[in-house]
Amino acid sequence: MKPTDTPKTYRVKSFGCQMNVYDGERMAELLAARGITPAPEGEDADLVVLNTCHIREKAAEKVYSDIGRLVKAGEERGRKPLIAVAGCVAQAEGEEIMARAPAVSMVVGPQAYHRLGDMLDKAVAGERATDTDMPAIAKFDSLPQRRKIGPAAFLTVQEGCDKFCTYCVVPYTRGAEISRPYSDLVGEAQKLVEAGAREITLLGQNVNAWSGEDEKGRKQGLAGLIHALARIDGLERIRYTTSHPADMDDELIAAHGEVAKLMPYLHLPVQSGNDRVLKAMNRSHTAESYLRLLERFRAARPDIALSGDFIVGFPGETEAEFEDTLALVDEVKYAQAYSFKYSPRPGTPAATMDGQIAREVMDDRLQRLQAALGRDQFAFNMASVGKTCEVLVERKGKHPGQWLGKSPWLQSVWFEADCAIGDLLTVELAEAGPNSLRGIPQVRALASTG
């Protein structure tokens, strides 16, 4: 490759989970620290980072499609962009990407993106670079200080997974479970608040597996970290995701009733309502133990909104076993949930299991499951009508004077008001739809800190 000009503009395109969103933000900050600016909306960027996710079906093929579109657009404007592929697809298929896509200059895994700047220097000099090393958490010490952000921010506290669910690639692309130090997290949370955050969502592949030692050397779990963050002035809301049933403890359950800043919302994936399927998935819970766990959360915080993840069509799943999942949904009555058709991931045990389910069977089951989940989400929203709560103003709506924000239960709420992004408004939830609610502002509860 020939040397190229140093890029002046960048665009980071993140796919998948909130952790990818966080990683995308940090890569953007790395590039901004080198004087590269975000490309204006609607304009091509000199450098494009595709921050990929390996969970979705045909994730790698979608990456190649994006690369092809970028190359074609570059040819039309007479200057091809530098292309970097980051994230879990990069980690899993880095060498193949380099062999298959000559337009890609950089491939960087999710544990190595702090070295993106050095890789960019090589790319500008005409070299192609791959870095899929998996050091523990060294990257966080190499990232720039948080810049001005919006009112709701992500904070990665834990990475990796030791659970080895038979359908999941995360242990192979993100590595073993590891927790960031307590003091680093408290310090970064403080910086986020100073940069404009009023709500922080703690992130991890198994976020409730986080553990560390506090400033006095005492062992702390996620509940202890939440208590510490709740003491930060200006931080009004705390959330966390994604949890694993195996890592729930008494302290975290109790925190939902003790910490006013911890929002009444829990995302706790179950994946199936049938015990045989759960065992085949290598999930450590049963349907019954999962339901009893939810009961304990509801006892600690009666108004808690529950969310979950489901996979339909796991190898060998029978119609009766799928109906067990529908029965569990009927019992829990989720406020929100995410559901997917099983998709084999290369290298995972489930990919070679007998009993792969036909596509049309999975399609039918997913439609039936989503109908049940949608019914319960709408019912939860309808039951919220008449409640008064605080809504964090996150962005402008489509119409003049309209704003959008989130309720404590993570519902999207729209309303008309004289306010600003970052305000906390007290609103009455006046009208519900399947995916959002209309709010009527009552009083201006807390002014923006920004």
Side-chain angles (χ1 to χ4, degrees):
M1 293 179 65
K2 297 179 180 179
T4 187
D5 294 335
T6 299
K8 295 181 173 59
T9 62
Y10 72 86
R11 177 168 288 112
V12 178
K13 184 177 180 181
S14 292
F15 306 82
C17 68
Q18 293 99 327
M19 293 191 73
N20 258 26
V21 175
Y22 174 88
D23 290 346
E25 291 174 350
R26 302 315 312 266
M27 284 188 274
E29 290 166 359
L30 277 168
L31 298 172
R34 296 173 69 89
I36 309 173
T37 60
E41 192 67 32
E43 293 187 15
D44 294 326
D46 300 328
L47 166 65
V48 178
V49 180
L50 300 175
N51 187 27
T52 61
C53 173
H54 211 301
I55 298 300
R56 301 294 182 263
E57 185 179 12
K58 299 181 180 177
E61 294 308 313
K62 292 175 182 176
V63 173
Y64 293 118
S65 294
D66 274 353
I67 293 169
R69 283 192 291 269
L70 289 170
V71 170
K72 183 177 180 181
E75 289 172 346
E76 290 174 352
R77 72 168 179 159
R79 186 183 178 201
K80 297 178 184 178
L82 282 172
I83 300 173
V85 178
C88 290
V89 174
Q91 185 69 39
E93 305 187 30
E95 291 184 6
E96 183 176 352
I97 292 170
M98 279 302 212
R100 227 180 117 175
V104 173
S105 298
M106 296 161 276
V107 171
V108 58
Q111 306 294 25
Y113 66 74
H114 58 294
R115 294 195 281 264
L116 184 60
D118 293 336
M119 298 176 72
L120 178 58
D121 289 339
K122 292 180 180 179
V124 169
E127 300 178 38
R128 303 176 79 202
T130 299
D131 192 340
T132 53
D133 286 348
M134 299 183 74
I137 50 174
K139 68 181 180 186
F140 294 102
D141 293 332
S142 304
L143 296 172
Q145 186 168 308
R146 304 309 305 266
R147 55 189 172 89
K148 186 171 178 61
I149 58 174
F154 293 127
L155 173 57
T156 292
V157 304
Q158 177 272 343
E159 289 201 332
C161 182
D162 296 341
K163 303 299 186 287
F164 288 93
C165 297
T166 56
Y167 53 81
C168 186
V169 297
V170 167
Y172 313 104
T173 59
R174 290 273 184 172
E177 289 178 357
I178 189 162
S179 299
R180 294 182 62 192
Y182 174 97
S183 59
D184 290 2
L185 296 172
V186 173
E188 186 171 340
Q190 182 67 58
K191 294 296 184 185
L192 286 170
V193 172
E194 292 170 2
R198 308 200 75 190
E199 174 181 296
I200 292 178
T201 299
L202 309 180
L203 300 179
Q205 262 80 39
N206 291 317
V207 67
N208 54 330
W210 181 89
S211 65
E213 291 187 352
D214 65 15
E215 67 279 359
K216 295 183 180 179
R218 297 172 298 193
K219 179 86 170 180
Q220 297 288 353
L222 187 64
L225 178 62
I226 288 170
H227 278 279
L229 299 185
R231 294 192 286 270
I232 296 176
D233 290 337
L235 177 59
E236 305 295 340
R237 292 178 162 194
I238 301 170
R239 304 184 189 272
Y240 63 92
T241 196
T242 291
S243 304
H244 194 290
D247 294 317
M248 284 299 176
D249 57 31
D250 294 343
E251 291 77 14
L252 185 54
I253 294 171
H256 278 270
E258 297 168 350
V259 181
K261 292 182 179 181
L262 181 57
M263 293 294 95
Y265 180 88
L266 173 68
H267 181 69
L268 189 62
V270 62
Q271 306 301 0
S272 172
N274 177 266
D275 290 349
R276 190 205 66 80
V277 174
L278 288 170
K279 186 175 182 180
M281 289 177 167
N282 198 34
R283 301 288 288 179
S284 55
H285 56 273
T286 63
E288 181 65 20
S289 69
Y290 177 84
L291 291 170
R292 299 294 78 79
L293 188 57
L294 296 187
E295 284 182 356
R296 295 176 63 197
F297 275 97
R298 280 179 162 152
R301 184 70 193 255
D303 68 334
I304 197 166
L306 298 174
S307 173
D309 286 350
F310 293 89
I311 295 173
V312 303
F314 187 80
E317 181 189 63
T318 66
E319 174 63 21
E321 289 169 341
F322 168 69
E323 288 176 359
D324 286 342
T325 295
L326 293 179
L328 183 142
V329 168
D330 287 345
E331 183 165 349
V332 173
K333 302 191 185 309
Y334 289 93
Q336 296 181 21
Y338 303 89
S339 53
F340 311 94
K341 292 178 288 189
Y342 169 73
S343 175
R345 300 268 71 86
T348 60
T352 56
M353 284 182 179
D354 294 334
Q356 300 288 324
I357 305 298
R359 177 67 54 184
E360 59 270 19
V361 174
M362 286 198 281
D363 290 342
D364 173 69
R365 290 177 184 173
L366 184 64
Q367 289 176 19
R368 291 154 61 196
L369 174 60
Q370 290 183 340
L373 293 171
R375 171 203 68 201
D376 291 344
Q377 178 173 312
F378 185 37
F380 185 87
N381 287 349
M382 288 294 294
S384 301
V385 172
K387 289 183 179 179
T388 298
C389 66
E390 286 186 343
V391 170
L392 178 62
V393 184
E394 295 186 5
R395 57 189 175 92
K396 292 182 177 180
K398 295 180 179 179
H399 307 293
Q402 187 183 81
W403 299 87
L404 299 174
K406 291 290 196 301
S407 77
W409 305 282
L410 205 63
Q411 299 154 302
S412 292
V413 181
W414 64 271
F415 48 89
E416 295 178 352
D418 179 14
C419 61
I421 292 174
D423 284 355
L424 270 170
L425 295 186
T426 299
V427 305
E428 179 186 350
L429 301 177
E431 184 180 346
N435 301 307
S436 64
L437 297 100
R438 179 174 68 88
I440 301 175
Q442 303 298 292
V443 293
R444 195 156 173 167
L446 291 169
S448 169
T449 57

